[in-house]
Structures are given as C-alpha cells and as structure tokens.
Amino acid sequence: MEVINSRSPFFITINEANQTATKIELFIWHKGETEPVDPTYILTKNAPSDTQRSNTYNIAQYIKENLEIINPISTIEVEEESNNNWCYCKAKLYATISDVETFLDDVTYIGVNGYNDYLNGYNQTNNSEVILLTDQINRNYFLTPTYTDNSYFNLFIQEKSPTQAISINYYDSDDELVLTAVFTTEEAYLLRVRYSLDSPDFDNGTKVIIRNDTTETILYTLTAEPVCEPKYTPVILSFINRFGGWDFITFFKAKSESYEVKSKDFNLLPDAVDYNPLRGQKQKFNFESKKSVKLNTGWVAESFSILMEQLFNSETILLDNVPVFLKSSNFQIKTHLKDKNINYELDFEYNFNQINNVQ
C-alpha cells in the first residue's frame, strides 16, 4: 500500500469519457478495528463543463482528521505504537455516465501525520516494505545510573505477500548481538523501537540494524552514543517529524526559565460611604500566567539542522512529556566552517495557563 503524508495534499482524479458527475467514498479505520460498512466521508462533484469533465479530490485532509497524536509512550524494547497515529483509508471511485452511476475502482492507502517537500512535486507516497520514520540515524543520549533515556524511533512495516521476516537487532559497542525482535509482513505494524536498552551491555553505545531476513538485506543502521553531562540536567524534547513519527532531541546544556503574568486592572466601587481603606481602589482580574524556558542543545553536528527544520514545522511538541510550543519563529542554519562549534538555543512556552481555567 502507498503511505500518504496527510499534512500535504493528496489528489485523486476521475476523468472518464462523457462523465457528468463523480463520487468518492472514503472508508477510514484504524488497526484493530473492522473496515466500516458505511463510508466515513462521501465526496461528490459535477463535471465543470461539457469540454472539461475531469474532477480532482484532495483526500489528505480527511485522513488527517482521523489521526490523534498526543504524546510519546515509554517502551521497554520494541512495541507497537498507538493505532491512533496511523490509519487505513479505502477510496471507492464512481462516475456518472448517461445518468448511470458506475463503480470504477477502489484503492486502499495508509495515512500518517507527515508532510512532503515542495520540491519533490505532488502526490508523494512511499510503498516500501519497511519505512523508517526519522532522519535521526545517529543519536546522543544522556545516561546515568539513575536516569533512563526512553527515546525511540518509529518503524512502519507494510503488509506484504509473500510473507517476509523483518528483524530488529541490537548490538553493543563490541558488535556483539544482544537482542533480536522479529516481525513478519502478514500484517502492518507501526513500531516503537528504542535507540538503546536498559542494560549494562549498552553503556558504551548501541547499534540497531534492521534487516529483511528473508532476502538477507540490511535495510537501516542506527547508532546511539551516551553523553556524560556532569553539570546540567538534560531536558528531553519530543515532537512529530516530517514522516509523522516521533523524534527526540536532548538539550544537554544551560537551561533558564521565566514567568510572565498578565491581568486587567479595574476600579472598584466603594463598599460604603465610610469605606474600608484596606480594601484598595483597584482589583486585578483575568489572570493569564505563562511559563517559558530557554534551552541549549550543546555541541551538535551540521546535519542537526535537518531536525531543527522539522521541529519548527511540527504541530506537536513536548518537553519532558509536557506540551509546549516554540516561541522562536526562525533560526540560523549553522555550519562548522562558519560557526566552528555548533549550538542551538531555543525558546519554548508551556502550552497552557499556569492557573487552571479549563471550563
């Protein structure tokens, strides 16, 4: 099946000879659910004219409405991701010719909450048997005896026939195989795969190799290196990247927090002619309290700018599993040639009023 990034348009065109109207029925469901009998959405259009009969539909927005991604889930090794992070979408196509509605075809897609690059054109999809939903193939993480980094990447395994075996293999820093998890293509999986595991075997680093055991092909290789940070307490940022999967950034260096309170002043009427002078003449109302934090990544590679671009375009961002949004709206892409050592400093604001005013 083709995987659609639902934050970018995906068009289906119906162009039958002599058609006067067209229709698309969309059936959307998640893994673990049965395919709906009735369509989730029905889209219809009349032919624009007798000479221009083609109709085009953008189905991406309807897929996106059925995806709900809130926060990453801690995982021990390799586990399935929440089924709300992706969905199936079957499109049934119809055309009306000579006042008779005719079924044309049906196509099933998989939808994720990613987006496409403009320069790659329209209707970008991916039908690879195994899809890595991250650009971060080399990750630095914080490791102490009392702290565990639960960062992971998402891996999508397509339903394919004939059945193939896909293995996820963890190697220690001495290239010794420590753990293997195997999945088959009998069904589709969106997996959470830890960059490293809670074991002394990986104290000096981890290598994850994803293989197609049936064809004996290495598909992806990812590495994770522990970083010692004796001075600051690192902060873990999680966000949805351009592929629709979770990505993680560790801010290793200085952190500063600020607090801002806004309110409105109103003059009070005296409670009596012989008023109480301790009551004052003004009162503050409608308090809005915001907390912000400024973070530093520490020294990073030039390629880190790829993650930064995706972070700035992300709709879902959390700091230590608390919702935030970026106050910064731009950043300078740094290079070792010009900037020598590269550090990025970013401003975030917690995405809620510090005073609970939810009604």
Side-chain angles (χ1 to χ4, degrees):
M1 298 181 194
E2 292 182 298
V3 177
I4 296 174
N5 287 321
S6 63
R7 288 183 61 190
S8 293
F10 184 83
F11 298 107
I12 295 177
T13 299
I14 303 176
N15 188 17
E16 297 294 307
N18 299 319
Q19 70 183 24
T20 56
T22 59
K23 181 175 77 173
I24 292 182
E25 292 179 342
L26 295 180
F27 301 79
I28 299 177
W29 71 101
H30 296 91
K31 184 177 179 180
E33 303 172 350
T34 56
E35 179 183 335
V37 176
D38 298 321
T40 312
Y41 303 95
I42 299 176
L43 314 176
T44 60
K45 287 184 179 181
N46 293 323
S49 70
D50 291 339
T51 57
Q52 299 290 333
R53 298 183 180 273
S54 176
N55 283 333
T56 299
Y57 298 83
N58 175 19
I59 68 169
Q61 57 192 320
Y62 303 102
I63 293 174
K64 190 175 186 304
E65 286 180 1
N66 289 272
L67 302 176
E68 185 179 26
I69 306 175
I70 298 176
N71 64 287
I73 303 171
S74 295
T75 185
I76 299 174
E77 294 171 357
V78 181
E79 300 177 82
E80 278 201 73
E81 184 61 273
S82 169
N83 291 330
N84 291 328
N85 289 29
W86 64 287
C87 68
Y88 292 101
C89 176
K90 176 182 282 187
K92 289 187 175 182
L93 282 57
Y94 300 84
T96 299
I97 303 172
S98 301
D99 295 327
V100 177
E101 185 177 82
T102 304
F103 170 74
L104 302 175
D105 194 11
D106 66 72
V107 186
T108 302
Y109 303 98
I110 288 172
V112 296
N113 195 34
Y115 61 87
N116 299 325
D117 189 332
Y118 168 82
L119 293 177
N120 291 330
Y122 92 121
N123 276 18
Q124 301 168 43
T125 60
N126 192 335
N127 59 1
S128 301
E129 62 190 20
V130 180
I131 304 173
L132 182 66
L133 302 185
T134 183
D135 282 318
Q136 191 173 190
I137 59 172
N138 301 300
R139 170 160 171 75
N140 292 330
Y141 65 95
F142 182 53
L143 179 66
T144 72
T146 58
Y147 180 85
T148 300
D149 186 311
N150 289 314
S151 61
Y152 60 84
F153 59 90
N154 287 127
L155 186 74
F156 191 82
I157 299 177
Q158 291 260 33
E159 182 179 346
K160 290 274 188 178
S161 182
T163 301
Q164 300 181 22
I166 308 299
S167 66
I168 301 167
N169 306 276
Y170 285 87
Y171 292 82
D172 62 18
S173 57
D174 296 323
D175 267 348
E176 294 290 334
L177 180 62
V178 178
L179 179 73
T180 297
V182 180
F183 296 84
T184 67
T185 60
E186 290 181 333
E187 59 178 307
Y189 296 93
L190 179 61
L191 300 176
R192 302 191 303 269
V193 184
R194 285 273 297 271
Y195 279 97
S196 188
L197 303 180
D198 302 331
S199 168
D201 292 320
F202 304 108
D203 284 353
N204 295 317
T206 310
K207 181 165 65 176
V208 183
I209 295 180
I210 300 163
R211 298 176 71 250
N212 185 322
D213 290 345
T214 304
T215 61
E216 298 183 347
T217 305
I218 294 178
L219 304 175
Y220 304 103
T221 300
L222 301 93
T223 61
E225 296 291 336
V227 173
C228 176
E229 175 47 62
K231 185 175 181 180
Y232 299 101
T233 301
V235 176
I236 302 292
L237 177 141
S238 49
F239 67 98
I240 295 298
N241 61 28
R242 70 184 181 98
F243 301 102
W246 285 106
D247 243 320
F248 297 81
I249 295 175
T250 302
F251 289 87
F252 286 98
K253 296 301 179 181
K255 167 186 173 182
S256 60
E257 294 181 296
S258 59
Y259 203 91
E260 180 185 8
V261 178
K262 293 181 180 179
S263 62
K264 293 183 178 179
D265 295 345
F266 292 91
N267 290 326
L268 297 175
L269 292 174
D271 54 348
V273 175
D274 185 13
Y275 59 85
N276 184 349
L278 298 179
R279 188 166 177 257
Q281 287 186 290
K282 290 185 177 182
Q283 178 69 52
K284 288 181 177 289
F285 293 95
N286 300 328
F287 280 83
E288 184 177 337
S289 303
K290 298 179 180 179
K291 190 176 182 180
S292 301
V293 59
K294 181 176 292 187
L295 298 170
N296 288 268
T297 60
W299 307 136
V300 295
E302 282 189 20
S303 59
F304 195 84
S305 62
I306 297 173
L307 278 179
M308 292 286 289
E309 291 176 16
Q310 295 177 42
L311 170 60
F312 271 70
N313 286 305
S314 180
E315 296 178 325
T316 305
I317 308 173
L318 298 97
L319 277 178
D320 286 340
N321 221 28
V322 177
V324 296
F325 62 85
L326 266 168
K327 294 179 69 176
S328 314
S329 60
N330 60 77
F331 73 99
Q332 179 185 352
I333 297 177
K334 299 182 180 181
T335 65
H336 289 304
L337 179 63
K338 180 181 178 182
D339 301 286
K340 307 304 180 186
N341 294 327
I342 298 174
N343 170 73
Y344 287 102
E345 184 178 75
L346 296 178
D347 290 318
F348 298 91
E349 183 177 301
Y350 289 95
N351 195 9
F352 49 86
N353 193 338
Q354 297 293 312
I355 298 175
N356 189 347
N357 57 0
V358 178
Q359 301 183 43

